[in-house]
Each structure stands twice: as structure tokens, then as C-alpha cells.
Amino acid sequence: MKGPSVAARYDVIVLGAGAAGMMCAIRAGQRGRSVLVLDHAGAPGEKIRISGGGRCNFTNVNAGPKNFLSANPHFAKSALARFTPQDFIALVERHGIAWHEKTLGQLFCDDSAKDIIRMLTDEMRAAGAQLRLRTEIGDIEQTSGSYRIGTSEGVFETSSLVVATGGKSIPKMGATGFAYRIAEQFGLPVVETRPGLVPLTLDPQLLQRLAPLSGIAAPAEIRHGKTAFREALLFTHRGLSGPAILQISSYWREGEDITVVIEPDVDIFALLKKAKQVSGRQSAQTALAEILPKRLAQHLVESEGISGNMADQSDRHLQRLAAAVQSWAVKPSGSEGYRTAEVTLGGIDTACLDSRTMQAKTIPGLFFIGECVDVTGWLGGYNFQWAWASGHVAGEAA
Ligand code: FDA
């Protein structure tokens, strides 16, 4: 690490030019603080760019504390109440960015996620916040009331250091887990981290049996304990994916079962019984294919060993077939891990942070925001809302 003998001084230094870091820099700059944002990447907001299939699901109008996982479910309340989805929508509209609601309160850009990045960098510029990219961050030292940050571009000093370097997901995009190391350096506890919003894998034998289903999607409810999500299920060549699986993956732990209910709004048993009455000469496979994708219907009928016409089927047979569709208990062998996980669960223990400011309770001037904190949202724009809200409240205080 190189650097001048005299460190450049800023009121606020933000590590990480992602969603949370840029939001924090904007608010601190608007308050008249001198702000520097440092990032090792070549461009700001890389995860914003790839989010929501390139259209960025930038918030969810229904976002509330119930949509987040944390060892302390109350922690997120303060920030979420002080910077709401409506506040972010107002910002998006001020910048003339067209958006639409897709489903379940999820808001997306009409054109491109790049509009959101441009909006944030324009706001940072207007607030006087400086951005330095391609900057490797080295040692951080705390000296009386100040932090000295050694970087590949020199030494910087600040009284408010905001850590916004995200989690461990998608290491190929520069995710490093750096925030956890800083927490460790300052003796702050970290709740065990694990991949969240991630496809689940199946053991090789089951995978082989399900191989013909790869690529099939169906409406489903996926249950784990008292938690259930109703969205699409997707069979893949590695296991199970689709929004319903990503959602439940954040609650699932290795060794546990999940229950898959395909077409949860349909009473499959009743439907099969009716088919038996009105079209007894139909095969079970054809009857089921009226509701399910053909390949899925074929697989289920074959794996339940059911043959013959509907008229030949006893109620017990039909019940077994209905159960195969609507109460399939499956034990995933694992997850695809950080390689494809959208988020990192766990992180900086909220017990050591002030929920109003995101400042470490015992270390004045040190803040943690965004994904590195032990607050993780559901799929559907909640994680960005947490990044905006936690960034905003830290920017008010730093
Ligand atoms: P984020 O990861 O955005 O930013 C961290 C920054 O710190 C990066 O710029 C990184 O380069 C930098 N950094 C890391 N380590 C560093 C180091 N050692 N030195 C210097 N800089 C360092 N959420 C949502 O609400 N809606 C959506 O549509 C999506 N879609 C989506 C798709 C995909 C593929 C992924 C992987 C994730 C999503 N998400 C999402 C989740 C969302 O992207 C995520 O929750 C936020 O980006 C978190 O914002 P942060 O600012 O905390 O971290």
C-alpha cells in the first residue's frame, strides 16, 4: 500500500460503492459532510447492474420488518420506518425513471438497472461526495477519534468510517467478506454467515430420477416448518430452483426436509375423482396432464407405479397420486452456495449496532450498513430496500 505522509482527510469515508454505500454517501453529502467513497471494483453498483434480470427490482411496496431474517427481528424496524419504499420511489420519479409493478409489490425499472446506478452517481455528485474506484483497501487503524485507512491510492483519514462492502455472495463479482474481517478486528461479533436466496441441490440418485423434468416450471407452495412461500418452482439439472425455492432456502438448514405442494390452489384429489367419473377411459397421465406440465404428469404417474385408465383407479391410488403432487417431502442435499446465492444470511451482529444510526455501540464513528449486517430480506426488492434504508440512516448520523 502506498501513500503520502499526510493523509487526505474527510468527514465520512464509505467503504463500498454498492447500493448501501452510495445511499449513505448521498445523505451525508447533502448534510454538508465531506465524503469519500472507496471501492476496489472498476464501476459502482455492479450488483445493481445485474439485479432483477438487468431491470433492478429496486424496492417492494410492501416492505416491512416481517420480510427480513435476523437474529433480532425488531432491529430493522427503525431504519425501514425512516426511509420507506415511497421515499425511494419519490427519488426514482424525480430522476424521470420509468418503472412498473411486476407482481407481489415488486417494482422494476421499465428500461434498465443502469438508470438506478446513474441516478445514484448523479445524486452523489450533486451532494459533493467523491468516488474512487479501483482502490484496494489495506489496514485500518483507529487513533484517537480517527480512522486511518491505508489503500493502494494513499492514506485517508476520517472520523466516521462506514463499512458497506456487502456479503460473500457471487465472489466472481468482487464479494470478499471484508466487512466481517473489519468487525473481527474491532472485536464485534458476527452471526454465522451462509448463502441465502439460493437454488437447492439434490443427491445424485434423486437427481437422476428427476433429470427428465429439468426446465419444467409449475406454481407451487414450498413449506419449511411454519414458513411457506407460494411462487414458481423450477426443476433444474442441479436440483430445485425458482422464486419459491430461493425464498425457502433462506429458512432451510442442511439435513432438513422441505415440502413441495404443486398447484396449491387446486384440489388434485377432487379433480382426479371427477376425471374418473366423467372420463373413465382417460389414462391417469392424461388426466393429470390437464393440470400439470405433460412431462411432470408422466413422471409422477410412472414413479407412483400407476397404470391403466382412470376408471380402474381406486380412491387409494388417486390419493397416492394426489399426495405425490401436493405433499412431496424432499431433503435437499445442499445449496449451490455463494457462487449463485443472491444474498448472504447472517453478518455483523445487530446487538452491537444502534438501530437508529447503524453505528457500533462501543466504537464511536464506526458504522456497518447493507448486506454485511445480519438483516436479510426475502426475494422481491426487499434487500435493496434494506440497503437504501440502512444507508440513509447512517448518512444522517455519520
Ligand atoms: P453490494 O454488494 O451491492 O456492494 C458492496 C460494494 O463493496 C461493491 O461495490 C464491492 O465492489 C465493494 N467491495 C467489496 N469488498 C471490497 C473490498 N475488500 N474493498 C473495496 N471494495 C469492496 N436485491 C433486490 O432487492 N432486488 C433485486 O432485484 C436483486 N437482484 C439480485 C440479483 C443478483 C444476481 C444478486 C447477486 C443479488 C441481487 N439482489 C437483489 C441483492 C442485492 O444486490 C444486495 O442485497 C445489495 O446489492 C446489497 O447492497 P450492499 O451495498 O450492501 O452491497
Side-chain angles (χ1 to χ4, degrees), residues 176-361:
T176 56
F178 186 64
Y180 316 125
R181 292 208 293 279
I182 302 179
E184 196 184 324
Q185 178 188 339
F186 288 93
L188 300 174
V190 174
V191 174
E192 183 203 358
T193 54
R194 56 198 175 91
L197 300 181
V198 65
L200 297 175
T201 53
L202 299 172
D203 70 54
Q205 269 176 333
L206 182 56
L207 204 55
Q208 201 179 7
R209 272 192 13 236
L210 298 183
L213 304 185
S214 178
I216 290 179
E221 180 172 292
I222 313 292
R223 298 181 188 147
H224 175 265
K226 288 186 181 146
T227 311
F229 289 97
R230 269 186 191 209
E231 282 183 70
L233 160 75
L234 176 69
F235 292 90
T236 74
H237 63 287
R238 289 199 187 87
L240 301 174
S241 188
I245 291 290
L246 299 190
Q247 297 281 33
I248 216 73
S249 74
S250 295
Y251 291 84
W252 173 82
R253 298 275 186 158
E254 217 133 307
E256 295 175 344
D257 276 5
I258 56 173
T259 303
V260 175
V261 183
I262 298 173
E263 289 288 359
D265 293 323
V266 179
D267 182 340
I268 299 279
F269 177 60
L271 231 127
L272 290 173
K273 270 192 83 158
K274 186 145 181 245
K276 178 180 166 178
Q277 277 165 12
V278 297
S279 350
R281 288 204 300 201
Q282 218 178 22
S283 71
Q285 190 180 315
T286 308
L288 205 54
E290 307 232 325
I291 316 145
L292 303 182
K294 213 169 144 195
R295 266 189 294 150
L296 181 56
Q298 181 186 353
H299 167 84
L300 289 164
V301 168
E302 282 174 5
S303 58
E304 289 308 313
I306 288 174
S307 56
N309 292 341
M310 285 304 282
D312 305 331
Q313 310 304 329
S314 65
D315 276 6
R316 207 163 47 82
H317 275 156
L318 296 185
Q319 247 154 1
R320 210 173 68 215
L321 189 54
V325 183
Q326 298 204 305
S327 50
W328 176 37
V330 55
K331 197 191 296 295
S333 59
S335 83
E336 289 189 9
Y338 290 117
R339 190 179 60 79
T340 60
E342 282 202 12
V343 286
T344 304
L345 290 151
I348 316 303
D349 193 335
T350 58
C352 67
L353 302 177
D354 178 336
S355 65
R356 290 183 50 80
T357 61
M358 307 302 291
Q359 185 167 200
K361 285 175 184 165

Side-chain angles (χ1 to χ4, degrees), residues 15-22 38-60 107-108 133 135-138 163-170 173-179 181-182 197 338-344 369-373 375-388 390:
L15 306 183
M22 289 196 275
L38 300 172
D39 199 304
H40 63 178
E46 280 292 88
K47 277 203 184 154
I48 301 175
R49 186 175 57 79
I50 61 157
S51 68
R55 290 224 163 88
C56 185
N57 178 193
F58 55 79
T59 193
N60 191 300
L107 306 192
F108 286 77
L133 298 167
T135 303
E136 297 301 326
I137 298 160
V163 183
T165 49
K168 295 181 183 170
S169 27
I170 324 258
M173 293 193 69
T176 56
F178 186 64
R181 292 208 293 279
I182 302 179
L197 300 181
Y338 290 117
R339 190 179 60 79
T340 60
E342 282 202 12
V343 286
T344 304
I369 58 175
E371 193 178 323
C372 69
V373 177
V375 173
T376 307
W378 291 357
L379 186 78
Y382 301 100
N383 284 295
F384 279 137
Q385 188 56 37
W386 170 246
W388 315 134
S390 59

